[in-house]
Amino acid sequence: KSIAQRLGFEQISLSCEIMPMIRMVPRGCTTCVDAYLTPIIKKYLDSFSKGFDDNFSNIQISFMQSDGGLTPMSSFTGNRAILSGPAGGVVGYAMTSYFKDRQPVIGFDMGGTSTDVSRFAGTFEHVFDTTTAG
């Protein structure tokens, strides 16, 4: 990492930091995605925040991550942004539609290029492997 920094690389994605797991292919894919998307996201967020007073310096801004959790704007990265929309949908309908004494709820999010289907029965499941068709 220090060599890449000395050479002037602005974005350095290390697989041991991005996805510290044993499986090499998912770890490599996630790191490649992070290396590609993080600079684009950082550039967009920098441009976005310049449109507001003090660049949001006195306001706490959080972004939804792929796991449904929130992170500060400064920590939002490419590998955590990919499924943030579907994760946000699940969290949103879980908080507004689910009641313990009723049936589980199903979410259906159909966009221009993809469709996401999810189910909430009272607890969030953390999925480590997924299959994406297409």
Side-chain angles (χ1 to χ4, degrees), residues 11-57:
Q11 172 61 35
I12 303 165
S13 297
L14 300 177
S15 66
C16 62
E17 295 175 356
I18 302 300
M19 182 65 100
M21 64 185 297
I22 294 173
R23 297 179 59 207
M24 183 175 68
V25 173
R27 182 173 166 167
C29 290
T30 301
T31 305
C32 287
V33 166
D34 185 78
Y36 180 78
L37 290 179
T38 296
I40 296 167
I41 289 171
K42 296 289 185 191
K43 183 178 178 182
Y44 171 78
L45 293 177
D46 183 53
S47 173
F48 174 74
S49 63
K50 285 180 181 174
F52 295 88
D53 293 337
D54 297 326
N55 298 339
F56 292 129
S57 61

Side-chain angles (χ1 to χ4, degrees), residues 6-125:
R6 283 194 306 256
L7 291 173
F9 285 92
E10 294 178 20
Q11 172 61 35
I12 303 165
S13 297
L14 300 177
S15 66
C16 62
E17 295 175 356
I18 302 300
M19 182 65 100
M21 64 185 297
I22 294 173
R23 297 179 59 207
M24 183 175 68
V25 173
R27 182 173 166 167
C29 290
T30 301
T31 305
C32 287
V33 166
D34 185 78
Y36 180 78
L37 290 179
T38 296
I40 296 167
I41 289 171
K42 296 289 185 191
K43 183 178 178 182
Y44 171 78
L45 293 177
D46 183 53
S47 173
F48 174 74
S49 63
K50 285 180 181 174
F52 295 88
D53 293 337
D54 297 326
N55 298 339
F56 292 129
S57 61
N58 298 321
I59 299 172
Q60 182 181 354
I61 303 292
S62 297
F63 282 82
M64 178 74 65
Q65 300 182 109
S66 300
D67 64 2
L70 296 175
T71 189
M73 185 165 70
S74 61
S75 300
F76 194 53
T77 60
N79 70 307
R80 302 282 182 182
I82 293 176
L83 297 174
S84 59
V90 173
V91 172
Y93 79 73
M95 300 303 286
T96 58
S97 303
Y98 178 75
F99 299 97
K100 288 182 183 181
D101 58 337
R102 296 192 186 157
Q103 296 286 329
V105 291
I106 295 175
F108 183 82
D109 179 4
M110 185 172 177
T113 59
S114 66
T115 301
D116 300 304
V117 180
S118 53
R119 178 181 184 270
F120 183 77
T123 59
F124 294 108
E125 297 176 28

